[in-house]
Amino acid sequence: MLSVGMNMKGRDFLNLQDYTPGEIGALLELAEELKEKQKSNVPHPYLQGKTLGMIFQKSSTRTRVSFEVAMYQLGGRPLFLNAGDLQLNRGESIADTARTLSRYLDGIMIRTYSHADVEELAKYAAIPVINGLTDLNHPCQIMADLMTVKEHKGQLAGLKLAYVGDGNNICHSLLFGCAKVGMSISVASPKDYWPQEQIVNQARQDALSAGAAVRITTDPVEAVSGADVVVTDVWASMGQEVEKAERVAVFAPYQVNRKLVAHAKPDYIFLHCLPAHRGEEVVEEVIDGSHSVVWDEAENRLHVQKAVLAALL
């Protein structure tokens, strides 16, 4: 079972761009297998005796609970580390923290602001480091999104995904993830909030190799037209609270509502990483409607994270 991930053992999981299409596919297959084992009550303690340290600088519901449950179900132990309680908060360097934790743990999951800090942690750690979210990327979430699309659509390559909203970490990882698996992606966002140009350019190269396309536009109708999958996210992420009023005004034309999704394919599915601000980026009629698969998406965070943990640790 774990043979699909053996070539990943000891690696970090910081960015989907670091993984080949074949490796992403192997992780998704492993996640599907682990999900089936859980549903069938088949024990799968592949990480017995292993300990995962989980560093949190950002609050969390799905990331913390899914990683903790994942380690328990794999036979290992999770260790919650509030960043404010670590010596990091008193000036110890990231490098020294990485070296120290490497002597105690088998892996580190970190959810924080700066992606550069995660890269530095991984540079000096002698154990795998997993990106649970940074302001730049959210690879674990997008693995769950890909798994959910595959479950409901039966494929990934050849589909069209529309992302409507802020060109944030979710958008960045969707660009990389879709391009890697051959899924075309159209992003609709106000010009000042477009995803980073470097990430868009790299995603375009990957998409071209996979027979897919990347489109960035200011027109949400253009993005959603003919889409198999419609995705959105909050307009103001953690750390952007002071910008919320301004962002609500700017993004109001990008709300995912009944009128907008009418341009998608009749059998489209709707995704949202959650938490959702109902009535802002999405209306209840959509997120609670028959096309919404957000709860399957939330559950699949557990299964993809188990796959990443099993493969890396």
Side-chain angles (χ1 to χ4, degrees):
M1 188 281 302
L2 292 179
S3 60
V4 299
M6 289 312 293
N7 64 328
M8 303 178 208
K9 187 175 181 180
R11 288 177 60 182
D12 301 314
F13 193 76
L14 308 185
N15 186 343
L16 290 180
Q17 180 59 24
D18 300 331
Y19 280 71
T20 67
E23 289 170 336
I24 291 173
L27 286 171
L28 291 174
E29 289 178 12
L30 180 54
E32 292 163 1
E33 187 170 341
L34 291 171
K35 183 174 184 176
E36 182 58 35
K37 285 181 181 293
Q38 179 181 321
K39 299 296 184 186
S40 302
N41 294 315
V42 177
H44 41 283
Y46 301 116
L47 296 184
Q48 196 153 7
K50 303 281 188 179
T51 303
L52 177 74
M54 306 189 306
I55 301 174
F56 285 88
Q57 286 187 320
K58 284 191 173 186
S59 58
S60 169
T61 298
R62 279 149 290 275
T63 298
R64 178 175 178 180
V65 175
S66 58
F67 267 106
E68 286 200 13
V69 172
M71 281 301 290
Y72 281 126
Q73 291 185 355
L74 289 168
R77 291 184 178 273
L79 181 64
F80 175 77
L81 302 169
N82 187 320
D85 296 333
L86 298 176
Q87 293 295 340
L88 272 170
N89 201 44
R90 298 179 59 223
E92 183 171 38
S93 71
I94 293 173
D96 287 352
T97 299
R99 293 183 181 108
T100 300
L101 294 180
S102 295
R103 299 298 180 105
Y104 303 141
L105 304 168
D106 299 287
I108 300 170
M109 188 285 298
I110 180 167
R111 181 178 170 93
T112 188
Y113 293 91
S114 170
H115 192 77
D117 286 352
V118 176
E119 290 179 328
E120 186 174 1
L121 184 70
K123 177 180 178 181
Y124 290 99
I127 54 179
V129 173
I130 298 169
N131 176 7
L133 175 142
T134 66
D135 286 345
L136 186 69
N137 287 306
H138 198 353
C140 291
Q141 176 63 56
I142 272 50
M143 287 295 292
D145 293 358
L146 295 177
M147 181 178 182
T148 307
V149 173
K150 188 178 178 184
E151 284 180 341
H152 285 270
K153 293 296 183 181
Q155 65 185 80
L156 293 172
L159 298 179
K160 176 185 175 180
L161 181 145
Y163 174 84
V164 181
D166 187 21
N168 59 12
N169 49 7
I170 290 291
C171 181
H172 290 157
S173 288
L174 276 172
L175 283 162
F176 283 142
C178 289
K180 290 282 187 178
V181 301
M183 189 189 312
S184 293
I185 176 171
S186 290
V187 174
S189 184
K191 188 67 178 288
D192 291 341
Y193 297 88
W194 277 11
Q196 292 186 13
E197 185 177 2
Q198 181 180 354
I199 289 177
V200 172
N201 290 339
Q202 183 59 62
R204 281 201 169 111
Q205 291 181 32
D206 292 339
L208 186 62
S209 299
V214 172
R215 171 73 174 161
I216 313 296
T217 178
T218 57
D219 184 354
V221 171
E222 177 187 345
V224 170
S225 293
D228 300 281
V229 185
V230 178
V231 188
T232 191
D233 191 15
V234 294
W235 293 337
S237 299
M238 283 178 283
Q240 298 172 333
E241 288 81 5
V242 295
E243 304 173 28
K244 183 171 181 180
E246 175 186 350
R247 284 172 168 265
V248 168
V250 170
F251 281 98
Y254 294 83
Q255 183 185 72
V256 178
N257 51 37
R258 181 179 180 182
K259 184 177 179 181
L260 181 61
V261 297
H263 297 279
K265 287 185 178 177
D267 62 346
Y268 85 94
I269 58 173
F270 173 75
L271 299 176
H272 192 305
C273 63
L274 303 178
H277 293 169
R278 293 161 179 260
E280 291 184 11
E281 74 273 8
V282 62
V283 298
E284 290 193 347
E285 184 178 11
V286 172
I287 195 170
D288 293 329
S290 60
H291 295 271
S292 176
V293 294
V294 297
W295 308 117
D296 291 342
E297 177 188 13
E299 177 190 338
N300 284 338
R301 286 290 301 278
L302 170 64
H303 307 301
V304 297
Q305 279 150 203
K306 283 162 73 172
V308 170
L309 289 166
L312 273 56
L313 272 60

